[in-house]
Amino acid sequence: MKFSFVTIFPNLIKPYFEDSILKRAVDNGFVEIDFYNPRDYSKNKHKKVDDTPFGGGAGMVMTPQPLFDCLSDIKSKNEDLHFVFLTPVAKQFNQKDAKRLSKKKHIVFVSGRYEGIDERVVEEFADEVFSIGDFVLTGGELASMVLADSISRCVKGVLGNATSLDEESFEEGLLESPTFTKPQVFNNLSVISEFLKGNHSKIRSLKFALSKAKTKYFRPKMYIEAIFKDIK
Ligand code: SAM
């Protein structure tokens, strides 16, 4: 899996791949990354990449020329590309998207800055647009790291134990049940006793009940959808 990050601030993203699971994924060749800076493609003598919006309004907008040239350059050098733009004006990214996108060969994440990207660039290049939630960030870099991280986890070989993927939140349309580790008692607080008894079918049904309770409390809409999907 290859990720190309299109950003005027590549240094915000690079360190994320220099530690922990994603560093290992890069070192072991499961994930490859590179960076493109639209500023390098700007024909403006000051390497400007933004201008005032037509129709008025606050702030600046990323101009089409540097991004058009940058994305065209990436297209001319690579095959099987999937262009993903990060923007609040989109469907919210979820775990199903992460799994689906983990099957792509090469994803290009395009990060906006200022008040966003001239819409003509989005229309011309985007295969998909994603938001990471109903809030506004200063730029798309964090959002592209969020997507790259969750997609990477779904790439075969990246996680040491692949079964961890099957037992996570959203897998059955529900949030995960609470988890505990040693010691059994900490600060007078005990682990749920059933979890210690080794009766796996009882533990499974308790976990399922807790999982439903958590989902009902925190994500009532998700819970109703799961119920209608005829969960056992
Ligand atoms: N004016 C835009 C609006 O109201 O929708 C917000 C622009 S935001 C300040 C600058 C950039 O941050 C966007 O172009 C996008 O790339 C990124 N961004 C901000 N919030 C985001 C979110 N919730 N999800 C994904 N990207 C986001």
Side-chain angles (χ1 to χ4, degrees), residues 99-118:
K99 283 196 155 175
R100 178 173 55 79
L101 291 177
S102 72
K103 307 282 184 283
K104 301 281 177 199
K105 214 175 133 202
H106 186 167
I107 300 175
V108 182
F109 293 111
V110 185
S111 294
R113 276 274 152 179
Y114 313 106
E115 284 311 317
I117 293 174
D118 186 295

Side-chain angles (χ1 to χ4, degrees), residues 1 6 13-14 29 55 77 79 84 89 95 104 113 116 124 126 183 188 199 201-203 205 213-214 229:
M1 160 67 73
V6 176
I13 301 177
K14 283 177 185 169
K77 291 176 177 156
E79 284 172 358
V84 170
V89 189
Q95 185 65 16
K104 301 281 177 199
R113 276 274 152 179
E124 183 70 17
N188 276 332
N199 182 335
S201 92
K202 242 181 166 178
I203 292 173
S205 61
K214 286 263 184 194
K229 259 186 14 207

Side-chain angles (χ1 to χ4, degrees), residues 86-89 112-116 130-133 135-140 143:
L86 290 314
T87 163
V89 189
R113 276 274 152 179
Y114 313 106
E115 284 311 317
F130 281 115
S131 163
I132 61 160
F135 43 79
V136 180
L137 300 162
T138 53

Side-chain angles (χ1 to χ4, degrees), residues 134-152:
D134 292 345
F135 43 79
V136 180
L137 300 162
T138 53
E141 290 77 11
L142 267 177
S144 57
M145 282 151 70
V146 166
L147 265 67
D149 182 304
S150 62
I151 293 167
S152 299

